[in-house]
Amino acid sequence: METDRPDGRTPNQLRPLACSCSILHRAHGSASWAQGETKVLAAVYGPKAGTKKNENPEKASIEVIWKPKTGQIGKLEKEYEMILKRTLESICIRTIYPNTTTSVIVQVVHDDGALLPCAINAACTALVDAGIPLKHLAVAICCSVTDSGCIILDPTKEEEEKMKAYINLVFPNTIVSVLPERSSQVGSEPMAHGIMTSVTQGAMSVDDYLHCLDRGRAASARLSEFVRKNIGPKSTWLGRMGFLCR
Amino acid sequence: MAGKGGSTPATYSPSPTTDKKKPSLFNEDLARPDGRSFHQCRPAFFRTGAVNAASGSAYAEVGNTKVIVSVFGPRESKKAMMYSDIGRLNCNVSFTTFATPIRGQGSDHKEYSSMLHKALEGAIILETFPKTTVDVFALVLESSGSDLPVVISCASLALADAGIMMYDLVASVSVSCFNKNLVIDPVLEEENGQDGSLMITCMPSRYEITQLTVTGEWSTPKINEGMQLCLDACAKLAKIMRSCLKEAVSDSQE
């Protein structure tokens, strides 16, 4: 079931991706991530000594600060902060630096749909650039369901507004893992077949959700490939060196 | 008092424990802190018409979690707001200072308002009240885990009590993941130690999901199992909510 999209893409086609690391010099790690017209800048500071009042001091704490393009932070931005915080907590090896806080600042440069996945990808890339130890990379994608039940990937702002529902999905990428083989499994399944974060908006059937999950997982493989090309051994090593020098 | 020879000491020091291990969240016979089985929900109690001044209101008690929701409107949108041919929904979730074990800890959950809005938006027929706004104010009186699902279910009941047109009642249930175990309707103690959480908000009669939030690491079979568990619990919860509405109607007729 083909759907005509305003920009001429097919339902499974993603917008052009662009990513650059180490663009801020004062931050311990930084990255810019763009998907079409949507662009997000992420900066990582830390680990810094001490944790917040309600955090567990036996583990490293992650603090997320969301900066909107204009105006003050609202309810939606607070929700984005929470989702981002929980996602990053599940990919970081938090036992290595106990009683420390890592701050991740996300600045929205432009929003043209699929903003949260874009921010998650940017934050993950910035963490790698800062040399923060991660279990594995995470790739995020947005799927939306049209009124006719057709599923399209990576919608623009215009498309998002017309959709019946949309889902932000975050998948782990464990082709290369720093942890033992068994630890990258959930139950009997490898973590690569799993999911880390899922946030929906709008009403959809259970079948629609499961279809989105399959489509999203298929597209995440392409995203993973792109991420690995951009943050290859050289940039990761430089990021770690920079972190050690500081 | 302190000078008397036979008096008991004012301080108490516990005997040193030899076992340095932290106590396990679940004991050997796989019972939960409150004695429930893994797939057992807490007892739920709902009542409508709790606030006289509101257009509609509801009170919910699920275990020790107590929530009160008031609905005002539909009323005219603020002048500053642009014209809209569909209605607007304004949601706000707040905690009393005594709701949490540590005073004022409820302010950590600022994202709840946005999540409540998303959960209800898909179930309300917004076209039935153009140019107007419906305000939903939720107050958590006591927090004992699974607060947001209780708030959403209670808000849905309050909207029905206010006569706001909806496709169906909205029921919400959450599941926590501990290693290989799935635990439905977790309490605060369990939420603090969970590996992952899954919250489903659905319209049981239509078998549609209005919100699904997953955090932590889940495999595909676990997601499917958790979803099925939540959907079954939502269907049962919706029955309780319907019976509550029927009771309220029969009481008003009498």
Side-chain angles (χ1 to χ4, degrees), chain A residues 54 58 75-76 78-80 82 86 90 135-136 186-187 189 191 193-206 209-210 213 217, chain B residues 22 90-92 105 108 110-111 113-115 118 121-122 203 207-221 223-224 227 231:
Chain A
N54 299 327
E58 291 176 16
K75 290 174 187 174
L76 186 64
K78 283 284 176 194
E79 189 192 349
Y80 284 168
M82 180 273 294
R86 288 191 189 173
S90 59
K135 295 176 196 169
H136 42 67
V186 177
E189 282 238 333
M191 193 55 225
H193 300 166
I195 185 172
M196 276 163 49
T197 303
S198 163
V199 182
T200 69
Q201 176 153 6
M204 73 185 85
S205 68
V206 178
Y209 178 79
L210 295 172
L213 216 56
R217 188 173 284 111
Chain B
K22 278 187 179 177
N90 174 41
C91 298
N92 187 46
Q105 209 175 24
D108 296 346
K110 286 175 182 164
E111 74 280 358
S113 302
S114 172
M115 292 174 88
K118 281 183 182 178
E121 196 181 28
M203 296 186 274
Y207 203 63
E208 275 191 1
I209 295 169
T210 61
Q211 191 182 45
L212 190 148
T213 307
V214 178
T215 53
E217 297 191 348
W218 293 75
S219 64
T220 311
I223 282 262
N224 291 335
M227 278 175 74
L231 290 166

Side-chain angles (χ1 to χ4, degrees), chain A residues 45-63 85 89 94 96-103:
Chain A
Y45 296 88
K48 302 172 287 190
T51 54
K52 278 187 174 179
K53 189 172 67 178
N54 299 327
E55 299 283 350
N56 180 6
E58 291 176 16
K59 287 182 178 178
S61 161
I62 291 171
E63 172 191 38
K85 182 182 191 296
E89 275 176 351
R94 292 165 64 209
I96 290 183
Y97 301 117
N99 201 22
T100 60
T101 301
T102 302
S103 297

Side-chain angles (χ1 to χ4, degrees), chain B residues 58 143 151 161 185 240 242:
Chain B
S143 167
V151 166
D161 185 50
D185 196 17
I240 298 169
R242 275 199 184 84

